[in-house]
Amino acid sequence: METNIREFKGNSLLELCTDYVLIDIETTGFSPQYDDIIEIGAIKVKNNEIIDEFQFLINIGHKLNNFISNLTGITDEMLLNGKDIDVVLKKFKDFIGDNILVGHNVNFDINFLYDKSALYINEYLKNDFIDTMRIAKKLLPNLPNYKLSTLSNHFGIDYSNAHRGLEDVKITYEVYNKLKYYEENYYEIKMTEIEKSLKICEAFNNKKVVVKTSLQNLSYKIIKELLLKQNSKTYDIFYSFCDYLIINDSTYEKYINMDKVDIYYGEWLYKAKDLEKNGTLKVISESDFCSLYNIYFPKKVNIKKEKISAKDIIPQTENFDETHPLYNKVCVFTGVLERMERKQAMQIVANLGGICGNSVTSKTNYLILGNNDYCKSIKDGKSSKQKKAEDLKLKGNDIEIIPENTFYEMIEEN
């Protein structure tokens, strides 16, 4: 069983920078223990400009399976001319130096590079890293998914040469620049979108409004600007004299059901309940606020309903980190897990805001293979779930096939 401890691994950052190295790798599978790196691509960026490139194929000493060849376009003949992995990793270490590393779903790349560097060159990959997928989830909550192809299409970036190390790096570089522009101009961009269909709700004229919790679609600044035009004042501290309390939809659902469950939710919510009963406060959800102002609000999947088909697993909390990679993702398990019962793993997925499924379909985002099923000795005898997942991935579906230990890393590191 592979260990998940990477003691010297860098920190995952959620920020934008001007100097960094953008990386992408191609592999024979999804497990750093069982699979190999077959290509590393990288570009060095200084003051937002590309100043150097890095690209090497790696001779792994055995044949690729058809799935990987079809996915990446890399052939056995190409790898015969590749270099040994220790040579490439030493060159890569020199290339990146101590720069911050950037990539799309980069934790996958970092784990492979960390483990292989420790194994083949006796060095640890300690660089901090930035995941463009996490940034995209934060800035663009309305997208159907956050695949590199989806973001490329959203920003009008050519994706036709994807799934090769250096090409993916260059695509991610363009996506990263678009995300930086979006964040730097977020307020102006969002206000332009809102004002196209905005209708003023007179009920908020001359009111005192408090905004609590992290919102999904709007920022505190945007709400403040909208209400300022109505001679209203906004607060981020909950005062008893406030007329309205705006909270995110997840917290609002908890708020309206808090009298029905034996769970303590926090003093401020009980304060709000008392004030609303006394008629001095009105509590509304973010989606209700958007509806009142005719602002588009993306519909969320009803997580509880989605999980009825998977042994009725429902979340035990309503506070979700919406930037987590499993949030709102359909996860299917196959095989026997080593560290926990499948029901426990499914409950963890639900508690992270994910959706559990029984079988692989076009809606599946992750197929998690028990470690006993993820072994080179059975690769020629794949389960029907894995074969279906591979077929869907080749067709462009938003689905990843990951071993059990990668699942643990995702739930522990985030």
Side-chain angles (χ1 to χ4, degrees):
M1 177 176 174
E2 67 183 287
T3 60
N4 295 319
I5 300 174
R6 298 183 174 92
E7 182 180 359
F8 304 105
K9 182 177 174 179
N11 299 308
S12 177
L13 309 176
L14 192 60
E15 60 185 54
L16 301 169
C17 56
T18 58
D19 298 348
Y20 55 93
V21 174
L22 211 152
I23 65 171
D24 185 74
I25 66 173
E26 301 298 337
T27 68
T28 59
F30 300 94
S31 169
Q33 179 181 6
Y34 295 120
D35 295 301
D36 302 302
I37 301 174
I38 56 178
E39 184 177 34
I40 301 177
I43 56 176
K44 188 175 294 184
V45 178
K46 188 175 181 63
N47 294 326
N48 292 320
E49 297 294 332
I50 298 174
I51 61 170
D52 203 358
E53 295 183 354
F54 179 98
Q55 184 178 31
F56 283 95
L57 289 167
I58 297 172
N59 188 336
I60 57 176
H62 61 82
K63 291 183 177 296
L64 296 173
N65 64 47
N66 291 334
F67 170 67
I68 296 298
S69 291
N70 291 334
L71 180 66
T72 65
I74 297 173
T75 65
D76 293 325
E77 290 72 22
M78 293 167 65
L79 294 186
L80 286 175
N81 296 319
K83 296 185 178 297
D84 291 338
I85 187 168
D86 58 332
V87 174
V88 176
L89 288 173
K90 287 177 181 177
K91 290 180 179 292
F92 177 73
K93 195 79 165 52
D94 291 339
F95 183 82
I96 64 174
D98 59 359
N99 283 284
I100 292 173
L101 305 180
V102 177
H104 198 68
N105 194 23
V106 75
N107 200 56
F108 171 87
D109 305 71
I110 294 294
N111 288 345
F112 259 92
L113 291 166
Y114 185 100
D115 290 0
K116 300 303 184 186
S117 294
L119 177 63
Y120 289 105
I121 63 175
N122 198 31
E123 293 189 39
Y124 296 110
L125 183 67
K126 301 179 181 180
N127 303 57
D128 291 340
F129 52 94
I130 297 170
D131 189 351
T132 52
M133 180 183 288
R134 287 188 67 201
I135 295 174
K137 286 182 176 181
K138 175 186 174 184
L139 296 178
L140 304 167
N142 303 340
L143 293 183
N145 60 65
Y146 296 90
K147 295 190 298 180
L148 189 58
S149 58
T150 301
L151 291 171
S152 298
N153 182 65
H154 178 77
F155 289 125
I157 298 168
D158 183 14
Y159 188 74
S160 58
N161 293 318
H163 293 306
R164 287 298 307 278
L166 196 56
E167 290 301 327
D168 279 6
V169 166
K170 291 179 177 178
I171 293 170
T172 307
Y173 168 71
E174 293 188 56
V175 168
Y176 189 48
N177 284 336
K178 294 287 188 181
L179 290 172
K180 285 196 287 187
Y181 176 84
Y182 195 95
E183 181 171 75
E184 290 164 358
N185 299 276
Y186 174 80
Y187 173 73
E188 291 78 8
I189 293 172
K190 195 68 178 178
M191 285 302 295
T192 299
E193 294 174 355
I194 289 172
E195 288 173 352
K196 291 178 182 177
S197 58
L198 182 67
K199 293 180 181 178
I200 297 299
C201 177
E202 294 183 356
F204 282 89
N205 288 343
N206 303 302
K207 299 298 182 181
K208 297 179 178 66
V209 183
V210 58
V211 181
K212 293 282 286 183
T213 70
S214 176
L215 302 182
Q216 173 192 331
N217 194 45
L218 302 177
S219 67
Y220 175 78
K221 182 179 179 181
I222 289 174
I223 292 178
K224 181 179 180 179
E225 181 67 22
L226 290 174
L227 295 178
L228 187 62
K229 297 177 180 179
Q230 298 176 249
N231 199 32
S232 295
K233 188 171 176 116
T234 53
Y235 303 86
D236 56 6
I237 298 175
F238 188 6
Y239 296 108
S240 297
F241 56 73
C242 290
D243 302 297
Y244 284 92
L245 168 63
I246 301 172
I247 53 180
N248 64 40
D249 283 51
S250 176
T251 305
Y252 183 75
E253 185 177 352
K254 176 171 63 178
Y255 170 78
I256 62 176
N257 291 305
M258 59 192 297
D259 293 333
K260 303 175 184 178
V261 294
D262 187 22
I263 300 175
Y264 180 76
Y265 285 127
E267 189 63 35
W268 69 277
L269 273 182
Y270 292 97
K271 174 183 174 181
K273 182 71 75 172
D274 289 339
L275 291 172
E276 189 164 37
K277 285 179 180 177
N278 292 335
T280 61
L281 178 74
K282 176 67 176 175
V283 181
I284 65 171
S285 66
E286 180 189 5
S287 61
D288 286 338
F289 180 85
C290 289
S291 178
L292 290 169
Y293 281 83
N294 199 35
I295 299 170
Y296 170 74
F297 187 85
K299 293 182 179 179
K300 284 292 185 180
V301 175
N302 189 319
I303 295 171
K304 290 185 178 180
K305 290 183 179 179
E306 289 288 338
K307 272 177 276 304
I308 292 174
S309 64
K311 298 182 180 180
D312 295 333
I313 301 294
I314 62 174
Q316 297 168 330
T317 178
E318 295 178 358
N319 293 322
F320 303 123
D321 174 9
E322 297 188 10
T323 68
H324 192 280
L326 295 184
Y327 178 77
N328 226 23
K329 298 296 183 180
V330 179
C331 299
V332 175
F333 291 87
T334 184
V336 178
L337 302 180
E338 292 183 350
R339 284 176 52 179
M340 62 182 66
E341 296 292 328
R342 184 182 295 189
K343 183 176 181 180
Q344 182 183 357
M346 294 172 74
Q347 188 64 63
I348 290 172
V349 169
N351 291 345
L352 290 169
I355 303 163
C356 294
N358 289 318
S359 58
V360 175
T361 71
S362 60
K363 295 181 179 180
T364 305
N365 302 114
Y366 288 100
L367 174 63
I368 298 119
L369 306 179
N371 280 334
N372 291 326
D373 281 7
Y374 200 89
C375 176
K376 285 185 175 182
S377 64
I378 67 160
K379 280 189 174 180
D380 292 329
K382 300 172 185 175
S383 69
S384 59
K385 284 184 179 179
Q386 185 174 349
K387 289 178 181 178
K388 186 169 184 179
E390 290 182 353
D391 182 59
L392 288 169
K393 185 172 178 63
L394 287 174
K395 292 177 179 177
N397 286 58
D398 180 23
I399 184 170
E400 297 293 348
I401 306 161
I402 62 174
E404 178 181 347
N405 287 317
T406 300
F407 168 72
Y408 296 142
E409 290 162 2
M410 292 171 73
I411 63 178
E412 291 168 1
E413 293 184 7
N414 292 274

